[in-house]
Amino acid sequence: MGLGDPGPSSSTNGYPSNTVSVNGNGVVCNGHVATNGTIANGKSNGVHKLHRKSVMRVDLPGTMLYDDDDSFVNREEFVRLVIQSLRDVGYTESAKTLEAESGYLLETQEVAQFRQYILHGHWAKAEVALTRLGVHDEASLLEAKFLISEQKYLELLEANKTTAALYVLRNELAPLDADSDHLHMLSSLIMCSDPDDLRQRASWDGTLGSSRHHLLNNLHRYIPSSVMIPPRRFSTLIQQARLYQRSRCLYHNPPSNSTAFSMYTDHQCNKSALPRLTTTILDGHVDEVWNIEWSHDGSYLASASKDRNVIIWQVPSSHDWTTHLMLKDHPYPVGCLAWSIDDSLLLTSAEHFIKIWNTKTGVCLRTLEDHTETVTALAWLPDGSGFISGGLDRKVVHWDADGKLKESWGVTAIRVTDLAVTPDLTRLVTIGMHHQSLTESSAPPRPPGDHAIYGPGGGGGIGPSTAPRSSNNRLIVYDLATKQVLTSVRMEGELTSVKISQNSQFALINHSPDEIHLWDLKAGRLARKFAGQRQGRHVIRSCFGGIDGNFIVSGSEDGKVYLWHRDTGALLEVLPGHGEGSVNSVAWNPRHERMFASCSDDFTIRIWEPMMSETADESLTDAGGASMAEGFDKGKDRSRQQEQHWNVDPATNHSGVSGIDGASS
Amino acid sequence: MGMSYRRYLTGERIYGCSKCKTHLAALHSMVSRAFNGQHGRAYLFKFVVNVIEGEPNDRPMTTGNHTVRDIFCCKCGTTLGWKYDRAYEPSQKYKEGMFILERNLLVDVQ
C-alpha cells in the first residue's frame, strides 16, 4: 500500500516523504515484534531509515517524553496512546507513520489476532492466545476462559444449536464456574422460547449486536494493559483531567460543558457568572414569605406566605415579572409547595390541610384533611404517579396524582419535619423529631444507655418556651418500594430541610445550630458540612443549584443568603439585601442555571442573577430585558444538551476523580 | 419572626388546647392543682409551650397583687390562662415565671 499524498507527519523532518510498510492488521510486517510493543528492529543512535520505502525512525535517548522535567510521562506509553487515538478516528496512515518513526507499535500482532479471534468468534484460538498475551495467573485465566465460553454458549443457544450449547455448558462452563447461581441462570436459558427471549433474559444483545465487543472490553481486565491498551485510553485520561479541573473550579456554572472546556488551558469559570446580584424584588405578599418553589420548566415561581396566600409568579419572557395567579382561601399560613412533574398542578399545605390547585385556572381542585397535625413536606414521585406527604403527626401518606389516598405508611418513628424522594425512585428520605418518651423538664433525665445530645436550650419558636429543647432528631431513609428502614441516624440539633442531589446520592440537610450537612446516602456517612449561615429557631431551607448541582445555597436567620461550592465546602458569597428577619428558603431555577430566588420575613422574594455585562457568554453581554430572555432560552437549550450529554455517556461520571463528583443526572 | 413548627411534648400525660389539641404542658411540669381561673379550676405549670403572651397588666388576685399576661394558643388563639410576671407578696414570689392553664380549656393529648 502506498502513500500517494504525503501527510504532514511523514515529512516534518524534512526528509523526502516515504510510505510505511504495514500489513493489514496494522503491524509492521518486517521482522519480529516484541510483546512490549517495540519494534525489535536494529537499534542505532540517531536517525536511521527502516528498510525499504520507510519513514525515518527517530531514536531518542531515555524513556521519558521530556527528559528535563519531572512529569514522568513515559514516552512509549504516550506515543502508543497517540497511535491508538489516531487509529480510532481513522488517521491510519499517520498512525503507521508514527509507529515507524517512533519504533513503538500500538499493539503486537498477537493482540491484533486475538481481537480478530474474538470478533470473528474463533473461540478455541482465542483461548489459546490468552496465555501468549500475558494472562498467566491461574484464576485470571479461568475467569477469562469462562467469559469466552459463556459467549460461545449464548451464541450457540441463539443459533438454536442446543446440543452444542449443552456440551459447552457441561464441559466448559460447569468445570470453570465457582458461582453456582450464575451457572444456574445460564442453564435456565436453555428454556428460552426464541432468540429474542434469550437476549432479553440474558441481558445480552446477540452475536450481531455489540456482545463480542463487550466481551473484548471485559477481557481487558485480565490482559496486561501494556499488552492490550484499554479502549480510548487517551480520551479517558483527558476526561479525568476535565473532571478534576471542574471539581476545582469554584464558580463552575457554564451554560454548556463542551465549549467551556479547552485542553489548551486549565479550566476556570469567572466569578462574575455567579448569580449574586438582585435583579428583581417580588413584592406581593403582606406577611413573611416562608417557602418558594420553581415549576419544573423554570418559568413560574410559587411562593407561600404567612399571609395565607400563595402567589404564582411568571418569569418574564420580555419585560417585568407578573403575578400569574394568587391562590387564596388557605385557612392558615402556608408552609409547603410542590409542583407536579408536568407543572399542571400545585400542592400547598397550611397546617394539616393539603390543597391541590390547577396552575392554569387557579381553581382549588381538592382539599385533603387526613393529617391531624401540621403537614411539613409534600413531594411528588418522580414518575408523576402521585405524591407523598409527611407531617408532625408522624404520618407519611402516599396519594395518587388526583389526591386519592393510596396508602398511609402508618405511624413513623419521627414527627416528620421534611421529606424527599430520590430522583431514581428508590428511597424516601425523611427527617424529623424522634418520638420517644423523653421528659421535658429543666434537667431532662436521660434513659439508660442513651447518649442523647441536647440542643441549645431556650430560643423556642413560639411563646415563652422556658423549657429546654431536648433534641432527639433523626434522619430515616426508607426503601420506597418495601418501606423498610435502610438507615436511621440520630442527628444533633433540629432538622428543618432535606433536598436530594440529582444523582440520588446526596441528601442536603439543614440543622440548627448553624450547620448544613451533606449526607452520602450510598455510603451512609456525612460527606461535608457547610457553615456560616445562622439557624437557631426557624425553619430554614437550602438547596443544590447550578450546573450539576455544583453550588449549595441556603437561607439564614441573619437575613443574608449563603452560597457555597459543593465539592470543597468553600463559602463563595454572603449576599445581603433582604430586610429584617430570616431568609427562610431559597430555590435554584431548574432550567436557568444562573438564577435563583430567596424569600424572607421582609415580605419579599429576591431573584438573583449574574451581572449580565460581565458574563462569560458573549450572547449575554447586552443587559437589556430582551436579550436577558434570549439568554434564558439559550440556557434552557444548553441545559438539555447537557442532560443528553450525561445520559449518553454515564461512564464519564465514574472515571476516577477524587472527591464528591456529579450531582449530574 | 420566621417560620417555626409548634413544639411537641412527651411524657406520661400531655395537656393540649381543648379547641385545637395543640400541646401546651406536661404533667411532670405541673406545680399545683389548687388554683382557680375564670372558668373554675386551674393548674399552675412551670413550663408551657405553644402559647403567645399578651401585654402585662396588674391584677388583684386572692393572694394579692400580681403583674400577669394573658396567654393564647398559638394555633387557634383561644385565651388559655395567664403567666405571672411579678408577684408583689413575698410569699407568692415562687409563681413568677409560671403559667396558669384553666382546666376546662385543656384536653389530654398524645
Side-chain angles (χ1 to χ4, degrees):
Chain A
M1 51 169 70
L3 225 182
D5 188 16
S9 62
S10 59
S11 56
T12 44
N13 285 339
Y15 291 98
S17 57
N18 292 318
T19 51
V20 189
S21 156
V22 183
N23 74 5
N25 284 335
V27 175
V28 177
C29 45
N30 65 334
H32 242 70
V33 174
T35 47
N36 68 356
T38 312
I39 298 174
N41 212 320
K43 275 192 181 169
S44 63
N45 295 328
V47 178
H48 80 118
K49 277 189 173 184
L50 284 173
H51 299 300
R52 295 186 304 181
K53 333 167 257 176
S54 63
V55 172
M56 302 299 293
R57 170 153 172 203
V58 181
D59 257 352
L60 300 173
T63 57
M64 293 296 143
L65 184 60
Y66 302 107
D67 55 6
D68 57 350
D69 76 358
D70 22 293
S71 59
F72 301 110
V73 177
N74 180 291
R75 188 172 66 240
E76 178 180 340
E77 292 182 356
F78 175 81
V79 170
R80 289 178 69 199
L81 295 190
V82 171
I83 294 168
Q84 186 191 42
S85 309
L86 292 174
R87 274 194 199 288
D88 283 347
V89 298
Y91 294 144
T92 43
E93 296 301 336
S94 298
K96 286 172 200 166
T97 306
L98 181 52
E99 282 182 334
E101 192 169 27
S102 66
Y104 302 125
L105 284 185
L106 170 62
E107 56 192 17
T108 65
Q109 198 157 6
E110 299 273 356
V111 174
Q113 257 174 8
F114 178 72
R115 184 172 282 117
Q116 295 307 313
Y117 291 155
I118 295 290
L119 296 180
H120 293 129
H122 300 158
W123 310 124
K125 286 179 178 171
E127 276 189 28
V128 173
L130 278 174
T131 40
R132 292 204 301 270
L133 294 181
V135 188
H136 298 304
D137 165 39
E138 190 66 17
S140 299
L141 202 56
L142 288 180
E143 284 175 42
K145 280 184 178 169
F146 184 84
L147 289 179
I148 293 173
S149 295
E150 186 183 28
Q151 174 80 13
K152 182 173 164 186
Y153 169 73
L154 291 171
E155 290 193 8
L156 286 169
L157 273 187
E158 189 187 33
N160 213 11
K161 295 177 182 165
T162 317
T163 318
L166 264 178
Y167 182 85
V168 173
L169 184 68
R170 290 200 186 117
N171 298 291
E172 296 181 22
L173 288 167
L176 290 172
D177 196 17
D179 180 0
S180 60
D181 282 349
H182 188 58
L183 202 60
H184 279 143
M185 190 281 289
L186 287 177
S187 58
S188 73
L189 295 173
I190 291 179
M191 310 305 290
C192 288
S193 51
D194 57 61
D196 276 339
D197 188 26
L198 168 76
R199 288 190 286 263
Q200 198 184 343
R201 282 172 59 182
S203 316
W204 177 78
D205 72 351
T207 309
L208 299 175
S210 61
S211 67
R212 286 178 178 176
H213 285 276
H214 191 67
L215 170 65
L216 203 55
N217 283 348
N218 284 338
L219 289 169
H220 268 287
R221 222 180 314 156
Y222 306 103
I223 298 165
S225 56
S226 63
V227 175
M228 189 155 94
I229 301 168
R232 299 186 178 188
R233 183 62 193 159
F234 220 143
S235 172
T236 303
L237 290 172
I238 289 165
Q239 179 69 354
Q240 284 175 13
R242 194 182 75 82
L243 288 174
Y244 173 76
Q245 288 175 22
R246 201 188 65 181
S247 73
R248 290 303 193 87
C249 175
L250 291 180
Y251 302 105
H252 191 78
N253 201 23
S256 161
N257 239 23
S258 50
T259 58
F261 182 78
S262 165
M263 291 193 294
Y264 293 140
T265 176
D266 278 4
H267 169 80
Q268 193 67 53
C269 279
N270 195 330
K271 183 179 180 174
S272 64
L274 209 61
R276 57 197 179 111
L277 184 76
T278 299
T279 53
T280 305
I281 297 175
L282 302 177
D283 191 359
H285 286 291
V286 294
D287 208 331
E288 299 168 2
V289 188
W290 283 352
N291 213 341
I292 42 175
E293 202 73 48
W294 294 97
S295 61
H296 294 87
D297 68 4
S299 40
Y300 294 94
L301 179 71
S303 59
S305 168
K306 196 183 175 186
D307 69 10
R308 308 186 179 193
N309 294 327
V310 167
I311 299 177
I312 299 181
W313 309 84
Q314 186 165 8
V315 180
S317 54
S318 57
H319 295 290
D320 294 332
W321 286 67
T322 49
T323 304
H324 172 60
L325 287 171
M326 170 90 93
L327 309 178
K328 297 182 176 181
D329 303 328
H330 292 91
Y332 292 98
V334 188
C336 300
L337 298 162
W339 291 85
S340 62
I341 305 303
D342 65 0
D343 293 329
S344 66
L345 302 172
L346 180 72
L347 306 174
T348 63
S349 76
E351 280 299 337
H352 59 282
F353 296 102
I354 298 171
K355 281 175 173 284
I356 307 179
W357 304 83
N358 179 315
T359 57
K360 291 264 178 325
T361 62
V363 172
C364 178
L365 304 173
R366 288 192 79 152
T367 301
L368 313 173
E369 301 180 38
D370 285 61
H371 281 278
T372 54
E373 296 283 352
T374 311
V375 174
T376 53
L378 295 167
W380 283 91
L381 293 167
D383 62 2
S385 65
F387 62 92
I388 290 178
S389 62
L392 297 176
D393 54 8
R394 295 157 63 203
K395 281 187 192 163
V396 170
V397 184
H398 183 177
W399 311 83
D400 75 9
D402 299 324
K404 287 192 202 70
L405 190 141
K406 245 186 135 175
E407 194 178 16
S408 184
W409 280 37
V411 176
T412 57
I414 50 176
R415 292 188 188 275
V416 177
T417 55
D418 201 2
L419 63 75
V421 178
T422 57
D424 64 7
L425 208 53
T426 60
R427 295 171 220 220
L428 176 72
V429 181
T430 64
I431 54 169
M433 302 172 247
H434 192 205
H435 184 87
Q436 84 174 50
S437 295
L438 262 181
T439 53
E440 186 126 1
S441 67
S442 56
R446 297 180 182 196
D450 184 302
H451 300 287
I453 302 157
Y454 294 97
I462 294 162
S465 81
T466 31
R469 320 184 82 168
S470 62
S471 71
N472 183 10
N473 304 297
R474 256 168 210 279
L475 160 75
I476 300 182
V477 183
Y478 296 92
D479 182 305
L480 195 57
T482 66
K483 303 182 188 62
Q484 294 290 306
V485 173
L486 301 174
T487 316
S488 178
V489 188
R490 171 176 255 184
M491 291 190 163
E492 202 176 329
E494 295 204 4
L495 314 175
T496 60
S497 161
V498 61
K499 299 278 166 55
I500 310 291
S501 65
Q502 269 305 306
N503 68 358
S504 300
Q505 190 179 356
F506 298 103
L508 186 69
I509 301 169
N510 269 66
H511 278 240
S512 69
D514 307 340
E515 272 188 359
I516 300 172
H517 288 187
L518 188 67
W519 185 266
D520 188 329
L521 293 169
K522 291 206 171 105
R525 63 177 177 79
L526 178 68
R528 184 154 290 116
K529 285 186 186 181
F530 302 94
Q533 99 287 6
R534 312 303 298 175
Q535 175 174 0
R537 322 163 30 170
H538 296 153
V539 176
I540 302 292
R541 300 176 202 271
S542 60
C543 67
F544 294 94
I547 290 281
D548 301 340
N550 216 25
F551 303 116
I552 303 295
V553 62
S554 177
S556 173
E557 287 176 13
D558 62 7
K560 299 189 176 83
V561 175
Y562 286 73
L563 179 63
W564 296 266
H565 181 238
R566 184 197 62 198
D567 288 352
T568 59
L571 180 61
L572 301 179
E573 291 288 336
V574 179
L575 302 168
H578 276 296
E580 197 71 5
S582 296
V583 174
N584 297 305
S585 186
V586 287
W588 206 288
N589 192 308
R591 286 281 175 237
H592 311 316
E593 281 94 353
R594 294 174 170 197
M595 178 197 284
F596 72 90
S598 59
C599 64
S600 158
D601 286 355
D602 70 3
F603 306 1
T604 72
I605 297 148
R606 281 177 174 252
I607 306 299
W608 303 85
E609 291 175 85
M611 294 168 206
M612 299 307 277
S613 56
E614 292 177 36
T615 50
D617 190 338
E618 310 259 317
S619 70
L620 301 181
T621 47
D622 186 354
S627 77
M628 252 168 86
E630 190 190 331
F632 293 154
D633 287 334
K634 284 180 178 167
K636 192 169 175 174
D637 290 335
R638 288 200 183 99
S639 74
R640 291 208 182 103
Q641 286 169 10
Q642 172 79 8
E643 280 167 21
Q644 282 168 5
H645 170 76
W646 286 107
N647 288 340
V648 167
D649 192 9
T652 53
N653 266 350
H654 306 294
S655 20
V657 166
S658 63
I660 296 166
D661 170 54
S664 52
S665 50
Chain B
M1 184 175 86
M3 183 185 182
S4 48
Y5 297 128
R6 283 191 299 281
R7 310 264 317 270
Y8 289 86
L9 300 170
T10 51
E12 54 178 303
R13 193 168 177 189
I14 308 298
Y15 298 99
C17 169
S18 63
K19 194 171 165 200
C20 70
K21 307 211 166 29
T22 291
H23 285 204
L24 296 171
L27 178 63
H28 61 77
S29 65
M30 187 189 283
V31 176
S32 168
R33 292 176 194 267
F35 279 75
N36 285 299
Q38 290 176 342
H39 306 90
R41 195 58 92 183
Y43 302 150
L44 181 69
F45 288 96
K46 228 172 175 168
F47 308 114
V48 301
V49 294
N50 302 322
V51 298
I52 295 164
E53 298 174 11
E55 292 303 309
N57 52 64
D58 280 9
R59 271 179 220 168
M61 306 219 169
T62 53
T63 53
N65 256 334
H66 294 82
T67 305
V68 300
R69 300 164 180 265
D70 283 337
I71 53 177
F72 313 94
C73 170
C74 74
K75 184 177 179 188
C76 67
T78 303
T79 309
L80 298 162
W82 60 86
K83 178 191 181 186
Y84 293 102
D85 269 14
R86 187 180 165 202
Y88 289 81
E89 297 290 325
S91 65
Q92 304 301 317
K93 285 279 181 202
Y94 76 97
K95 289 188 285 195
E96 287 182 359
M98 293 190 188
F99 304 84
I100 290 291
L101 293 176
E102 306 226 23
R103 191 181 67 180
N104 286 334
L105 304 177
L106 299 179
V107 287
D108 279 7
V109 292
Q110 195 49 267

